[in-house]
Amino acid sequence: DVKVTQSSRYLVKRTGEKVFLECVQDMDHENMFWYRQDPGLGLRLIYFSYDVKMKEKGDIPEGYSVSREKKERFSLILESASTNQTSMYLCASSQTSARGNPFFGPGTRLTVL
Amino acid sequence: AQSVTQPDIHITVSEGASLELRCNYSYGATPYLFWYVQSPGQGLQLLLKYFSGDTLVQGIKGFEAEFKRSQSSFNLRKPSVHWSDAAEYFCAVGDNFNKFYFGSGTKLNVKP
């Protein structure tokens, strides 16, 4: 069974902390994504990676960075967490062809106090 | 820029009634279109997808969607709703650069 896994389901951090969210996929997909999900706003793309060490900003990259050192792993980094980054974070992966729909992980609910 | 609009934030239907969830997209080229469902506390599951060909697409759980290019729409339908269909539904569009854009979602409530 194909899978996208995220390191934590729930995470509580303090303002100013550096936060790492990890995502691993076992489908050998080229593309990986980080989305943020907020009520009434749907899913908003934070960052996108189309290859190892390659990344592209999404619609809301401010306050975030990413790292992709290996094909199967894509990390989201909050350099200095703020309360407005409290949200559900969803990782996804897809094939490189536009015929590949994204597969999603279960999500990490991050609370910043 | 690409965008997806789901005009209905909440919809309530009675069990056994038919359902239609609306989705409009904005994209200059031929879109790749998707519907996902998210049950409470669960991840997003793909219901169906459209890439080309027949504009009426069948999906899982008895859902179907119709692509209408002239209306820039990709509405999701189900002839008879079950209580287990209560969830949030997201429409998405994929572009030629492997990015995917999602609507704000429609929450479906099913009355007994």
Side-chain angles (χ1 to χ4, degrees):
Chain A
D1 198 18
V2 295
K3 267 191 178 169
V4 178
T5 57
Q6 295 183 229
S7 51
S8 306
R9 290 301 301 270
Y10 300 93
L11 208 53
V12 179
K13 296 291 182 181
R14 297 214 173 268
T15 302
E17 279 193 79
K18 191 169 186 175
V19 181
F20 293 86
L21 302 183
E22 307 284 343
C23 175
V24 177
Q25 52 98 359
D26 65 0
M27 295 169 279
D28 200 36
H29 284 167
E30 284 78 6
N31 301 322
M32 295 189 75
F33 312 84
W34 276 105
Y35 288 90
R36 172 176 170 161
Q37 183 180 12
D38 298 289
L41 298 178
L43 280 70
R44 293 178 291 166
L45 182 63
I46 305 172
Y47 266 99
F48 160 55
S49 170
Y50 50 92
D51 202 351
V52 175
K53 297 190 185 295
M54 307 304 287
K55 62 186 179 185
E56 199 170 306
K57 291 180 180 178
D59 298 321
I60 52 165
E62 297 78 17
Y64 304 96
S65 62
V66 290
S67 172
R68 193 168 180 200
E69 297 296 320
K70 294 184 177 181
K71 189 175 185 180
E72 68 272 16
R73 189 179 296 270
F74 192 34
S75 302
L76 180 69
I77 303 156
L78 287 66
E79 296 290 342
S80 178
S82 64
T83 55
N84 62 13
Q85 293 178 308
T86 292
S87 186
M88 172 68 84
Y89 291 88
L90 296 173
C91 176
S93 71
S94 77
Q95 296 172 318
T96 190
S97 162
R99 291 181 173 271
N101 59 276
F103 288 82
F104 282 86
T108 296
R109 184 165 294 283
L110 173 66
T111 301
V112 182
L113 302 176
Chain B
Q2 298 84 334
S3 66
V4 178
T5 301
Q6 294 180 246
D8 303 306
I9 299 173
H10 288 98
I11 282 185
T12 297
V13 300
S14 298
E15 192 168 13
S18 63
L19 171 70
E20 182 168 23
L21 301 183
R22 296 183 291 164
C23 173
N24 293 97
Y25 67 89
S26 172
Y27 184 54
T30 300
Y32 306 106
L33 297 163
F34 311 86
W35 274 100
Y36 283 82
V37 60
Q38 186 179 38
S39 299
Q42 303 296 313
L44 273 79
Q45 180 183 21
L46 180 72
L47 282 175
L48 46 78
K49 56 189 175 185
Y50 170 80
F51 291 105
S52 64
D54 192 347
T55 57
L56 186 62
V57 180
Q58 301 298 321
I60 62 170
K61 304 186 181 191
F63 285 92
E64 66 177 27
E66 186 171 11
F67 170 55
K68 293 186 177 180
R69 185 185 298 275
S70 61
Q71 298 177 19
S72 297
S73 70
F74 189 56
N75 293 350
L76 182 71
R77 300 194 294 248
K78 186 170 185 177
S80 177
V81 169
H82 188 262
W83 64 266
S84 61
D85 293 324
E88 190 161 19
Y89 292 80
F90 292 94
C91 180
V93 61
D95 66 14
N96 288 320
F97 302 98
N98 299 311
K99 284 187 187 176
F100 301 89
Y101 299 87
F102 286 77
S104 55
T106 298
K107 284 188 178 173
L108 173 65
N109 182 42
V110 180
K111 289 191 301 186

